[in-house]
């Protein structure tokens, strides 16, 4: 870290900072400019330490030098991480498509959605059974019953299943059925849950919090990785800004930024990113054009009857059209939709 | 809700919306302007329903009419909620002061902090034992051992204790020791945890998420209230914005907005709201001037040795000064610092 | 507009609102629900009126129904606006590329840049001569001398020229030389300037303010259009958010949102949108994939010597590569780079 | 500035950066840690230079050390700047109150408002005659006619007048009448205007842009100060965030931050800061409690008839109440409302 002194800092104040740097076992490098002195503290970096200089007299600011994440960084692992899920690989050249309804609502709905996305070429089925809802009066999900329906949809179509886990007690009942544990945006900094999905050694889809920085997303991934669980997929799903014409603001910059900072696969959720089905396909194309490794898209057999997020869900025929357009964009960036082994 | 049709909507499209409104057991009121038609749907309001009109042909937007929260609203309960904690009342005319270190670090530190804030006139002791940290490599709290130290500090000073609960399994071990369960900003929409603290029937301090709107904070409170647990204290602690000169942006507007929308007590956390000890006292004064019912302030016997948040912690002598200044501001708004029964 | 009454509004308060609606020559439609009454005010809409109901007793909120812009809206003009500039058309099927340095710095630099972007296939040359700089101590542009250099670059390459106008006195000296007057992000709500470029009847490139909503961008365009000047190009260039890993956050959603709300051509500036040359090409591809009609890209013959924005400028060879990638994306969305008449 | 190299930077890349630092006449200090090398560039700092290192191979980031403003900084001038306006002083111990309508609408309105705020104890009259309006169809101000009415109000009450200037041509006609030239939030980075008000040597009230950082506000002030015009008042008026329950988010933190960084007087505009008259008084109190040197408040004799911003204007009797409450808060922070010489 660099400790930037005030312009009016005294020699004694500089000495005291240098002493403290050395007390932590670090080496102090002093740069004295005309205006002010800067002290570089070199050695093992711990974010914790930064706070411990802010109160010292004469200190103006402390600037970190190292990135706070390690296992997630491309400096740690230069090549892309890729890994197999049931029937396909993520993180390689192939584009992966995850699709399905926001919530599992009933047997007919989830089976119909699963067959529709399977026929359109999706690789995995999404569907929430434990639902984080802003209001306690909204539909909270079918819970265990929904898991059984997902199991049935999985058996009927062969599609692996992605579903959100909201607390660690849900993990044991999910493991036999669910292929990928999704950590939702609202739980991206539920560190207790991050530890638990890390310990599960199960694949994890980690959604960026709506007000989380790219660095914080990578720190959340670091929680999972620190348990030796390396199968982590990152998902940009829109951030919260002042703009209200869409539900969230898709941070398209985050795609190349993440691809540059980390080796983990990165996908985009254009459904939450926009919140309006009319804009989903355009932003889905943008995501693949920007370098995303896949998409997660809300598809519902009958969006206007959906119990949640109907306004951002695509009808199956629109999803077929989206798949065709993604196919063209993938080719334009020298990639293709990942083939499925079962085909 | 009001369903606003597109300017080019056909009569058939209007009819279809009206039919659907009536299918839900609501009454449709049609306003046809020169430009477009607006359909009011009157009856029991459920937020769920709004989504179910967005996909209908000819619909432009759907606008909610009712507030999404009920039990938390001042329309539901016009008078201020006030309730006793150990030795003092919150939500009445008296200003309540909660103070202590970010984290419990060791026996000497927490006892020293507890005595210092007690002597300065604080009503309750704060101190984290389970810590939500952005990095898995940061100090994660003393956990059970920290609870024991809080119990000791409580016994030594008589101060009731406020500490953060991060998951529902922690609740049973906290109940015998902790007077107020704090739900932290990162868990404000951890709905599983909100249900659990609601069920506990224990007083709850609910911090606003850094990305949460005022309405979402009130919906989170609604989760707790819906279990019949009415002892909920709301806490503004700064939101995330583009400004980087402070760690967060204290939303001072939220104080009068919350006091107008809800009957629940509202306090301010100027330590997290600013992130710099130099600004804490000024913003603390502002909070009481704006109508807050209390403050929660980080105080550490030796901030530059703190294991977390040292940069925003006050030294005990500065906290003494803050108390004096708050006393003057409280008088200026016709209130006073809440007297403690034990005195 | 809809006037939403408080739940405790009296009949007299409702009557007073209705009277006022009718005093403004509007028709009042009353919807009385169980909880509250909503009054629709139907007739010619003026945004001004909304404020005039907020102070009436018993009023909770006022919700607009109409969009605040007219001439810019697709409802006013359903088909895309397209118009010719020197040698090419914008707003049609062809993708238009504008490129060049942030600032005109000297004769050699601008001529070298102009030739490079011309050879790579760009349609127009960008280059600032009056520079809005955050600091009074930064390079403020070559001003009139820079205009002469732009004229020379235009003559040498045949490329039409786009440059930023910062105040209305600059317009007369620009008109003989400049093909498109750019209104910069910081001036998007400089209404005096908007009136002046409207009156000029010259083509305008209007950049979205970093703090402006999509609606406000369209209202700014409305200022220009209201003078009968219909040759307006809108430009998304990133908004300000909490994220700091890039200079701005490219609002990719705004591309399909604008294409849906307005008939005006929409282009993207991935250089300002990201602020880092490494990310420019990926976000450029995303913009075209999302439906933008063109791009404006910073290209400098020697970015590390640039007097401004070197960090986000591409070297000429990277711009050649970008053009090839945009060509492929354009084909994938059924479009192509606009042919130039001179070829 | 500090140039932070990538972890994989080669020795040659480090040498090249050091050479360039020295080419600019700066001294390079090299700190080589285990992970990476950091190069401090010491000497005269120019923000421009930072960009010129970003493109060099092996460079990860460049971090500024110096603040970008000088004349505005407290390091440049440690004591508070205070200066006289007609009849009162700003920047000293006394709290200054500026009040009046958003727009001058007609003779009766502005005279009535001027008398009302004068009687309540205000020091200066505000009132817009050139109005920046989001829509070209909204009331744009009475312009020259409005200036004459302001002159009349000034003569009738003796109150100095504050009004917004939107372009530099307006300055000459304002100087004989207007005591303080206000630069509005939308023009905070209209650098052409900043130069012009600087050159005028007339007192300036500079409002923070709704998406401008504190540093950018100080840079805008630097434009004015660099012309030797030292009578600059800074005004916090709310920033744009994701929160929609108020029109803007009052950045109360900015008050102590500005008072710490600059010697210039700082006032708060709680009317724009909240956008709702119900919250104006609470936030006004907060501003003075946080250390502001004054307030600018919208007061209208009949807000529900106002041509602009009626929803955030106070009625005269509420402003009388606000003055009393501010009096009490001022006393609580050891200050008082500035006495007027005419009394």
């Amino acid at each position: 870290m660099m400790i930037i002194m005030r312009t009016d800092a005294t020699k004694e104040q500089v000495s005291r900072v240098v002493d403290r740097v050395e007390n932590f076992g670090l080496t102090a490098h002093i740069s004295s400019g005309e205006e002010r002195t800067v002290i570089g503290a070199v050695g093992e970096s711990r974010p914790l330490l930064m706070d411990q200089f802010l109160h010292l007299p004469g200190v103006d600011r402390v600037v970190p030098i190292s990135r706070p994440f390690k296992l997630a960084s491309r400096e740690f692992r230069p090549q892309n991480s890729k890994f197999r899920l049931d029937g396909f690989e993520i993180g390689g050249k192939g584009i992966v498509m995850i699709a399905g309804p926001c919530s599992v609502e009933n047997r007919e709905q989830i089976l119909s959605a699963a067959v529709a996305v399977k026929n359109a070429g999706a690789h995995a089925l999404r569907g929430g059974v434990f639902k984080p809802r802003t209001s306690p009066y909204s539909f909270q999900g079918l819970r265990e019953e929904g898991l059984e329906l997902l199991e049935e949809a999985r058996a009927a179509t062969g599609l692996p299943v992605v579903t959100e886990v909201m607390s660690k007690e849900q993990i044991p009942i999910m493991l036999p059925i669910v292929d990928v544990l999704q950590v939702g945006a609202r739980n991206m900094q539920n560190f207790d849950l991050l530890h638990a999905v890390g310990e599960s050694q199960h694949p994890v889809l980690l959604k960026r919090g709506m007000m989380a920085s790219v660095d914080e997303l990578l720190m959340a991934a670091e929680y999972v990785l620190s348990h030796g669980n390396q199968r982590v997929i990152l998902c940009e799903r829109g951030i919260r800004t002042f703009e209200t014409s869409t539900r969230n603001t898709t941070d398209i910059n985050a795609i190349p930024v993440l691809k540059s900072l980390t080796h983990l696969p990165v996908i985009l959720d254009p459904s939450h990113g926009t919140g309006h089905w009319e804009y989903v396909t355009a932003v889905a194309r943008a995501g693949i054009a920007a370098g995303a490794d896949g998409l997660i898209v809300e598809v519902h057999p009958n969006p206007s009857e959906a119990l949640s997020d109907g306004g951002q869900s695509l009808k199956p025929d629109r999803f077929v059209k989206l798949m065709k357009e993604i196919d063209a964009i993938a080719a334009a960036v020298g990639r293709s939709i990942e083939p499925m082994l079962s085909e």
Side-chain angles (χ1 to χ4, degrees), chain A:
Chain A
M1 82 200 114
M2 311 303 297
I3 299 148
I4 302 170
M5 303 300 291
R6 295 169 51 93
T7 55
D8 57 2
T10 63
K11 282 191 182 179
E12 287 67 32
Q13 290 172 339
V14 171
S15 294
R16 186 166 165 201
V17 170
V18 169
D19 286 353
R20 174 163 282 228
V21 167
E22 292 171 350
N23 283 347
F24 281 115
L26 305 174
T27 308
H29 291 254
I30 305 176
S31 307
S32 296
E34 287 169 35
E35 272 195 4
R36 63 176 92 217
T37 295
V38 177
I39 299 155
V42 177
E44 193 217 352
S45 78
R46 281 175 293 164
L48 185 56
L49 291 181
M50 289 179 53
D51 264 8
Q52 308 205 319
F53 289 87
L54 286 170
H55 261 274
L56 294 186
V59 171
D60 184 19
R61 280 170 296 151
V62 181
V63 175
I65 298 302
S66 302
R67 303 271 179 195
F69 46 90
K70 287 197 189 301
L71 304 176
S73 73
R74 210 174 257 290
E75 294 178 339
F76 176 76
R77 182 185 158 91
Q79 70 276 30
N80 287 338
S81 281
K82 51 186 171 180
F83 46 88
R84 298 208 69 74
L85 290 168
D86 194 0
F88 66 91
E89 187 182 69
I90 189 158
K93 271 193 82 171
I95 301 295
V96 168
M97 304 293 295
I98 306 170
C102 175
S103 304
V104 177
E105 297 171 9
N106 57 57
R107 190 168 178 278
E108 187 191 337
Q109 173 249 16
I110 189 64
L111 287 179
S112 158
V115 169
V117 304
K118 165 78 176 179
N119 289 345
H123 303 84
L125 175 69
R126 62 152 291 156
V129 297
F130 297 98
K131 296 301 301 174
R133 300 305 300 271
T134 307
S135 164
Y137 311 125
S138 296
F139 173 60
Q140 307 274 321
L142 291 184
R143 310 182 71 85
E144 285 79 358
E145 182 194 341
L147 274 181
E148 287 170 25
L149 295 178
L150 279 178
E151 189 168 26
E152 194 173 341
R154 192 188 195 296
T157 59
L159 289 178
V161 159
V162 181
T163 201
E164 179 168 354
V165 55
M166 284 175 65
S167 69
K168 63 182 171 193
E169 310 89 85
Q170 294 163 2
I171 295 178
I173 58 169
M174 284 194 174
L175 290 187
I177 296 166
V178 171
D179 298 84
V180 181
L181 297 171
Q182 177 181 315
V183 175
R186 289 178 177 75
N187 278 318
M188 194 204 84
Q189 293 193 318
N190 178 340
F191 301 112
D192 214 58
L193 183 61
L194 293 175
H195 278 303
V197 297
E199 284 165 9
S200 78
Q201 303 300 333
H202 216 62
V204 173
L205 173 56
L206 178 61
K207 297 190 101 175
R208 180 181 181 184
M210 68 180 79
M211 212 84 179
S213 68
V214 162
D215 270 18
E216 288 169 339
L217 172 60
L218 290 168
M219 290 308 299
E222 194 85 4
Y223 266 85
V224 182
L225 295 168
S226 71
H227 290 280
N229 185 350
Q230 296 173 32
R231 292 183 295 173
V232 177
I233 304 163
L234 303 177
C235 182
E236 161 65 31
R237 48 75 75 203
I239 57 174
R240 187 165 273 193
T241 70
F242 65 84
E243 176 60 58
T244 57
S245 67
T246 47
R247 182 171 171 184
N248 293 293
T249 296
T250 304
D251 182 2
I252 197 77
N253 293 355
I255 305 292
V257 171
L258 283 168
K259 292 303 291 181
S260 142
L261 292 177
T262 185
H263 51 84
L264 296 170
V266 176
I267 69 172
L268 178 70
D269 175 348
S271 305
H272 285 88
T274 62
H276 293 275
W277 65 267
E278 299 97 314
Y279 308 134
V280 167
T281 303
V283 173
R285 290 191 311 253
I288 299 305
D293 299 305
L295 297 170
I296 179 165
V297 180
E298 288 192 3
V299 177
H300 192 285
N302 190 352
S304 59
E305 307 285 345
L307 294 179
S308 58
D309 282 353
Q312 70 192 32
S313 298
L314 296 184
K315 293 179 187 172
D317 58 342
R318 288 184 192 277
F319 180 64
V320 169
K321 192 164 162 295
L322 177 146
M323 287 292 294
K324 281 196 193 118
E325 296 186 23
I326 292 306
D327 203 36
I329 297 286
V333 293
R335 301 176 75 166
S336 57
I337 293 183
E338 167 78 1
M340 279 181 294
L341 292 193
S342 56
E343 288 178 334

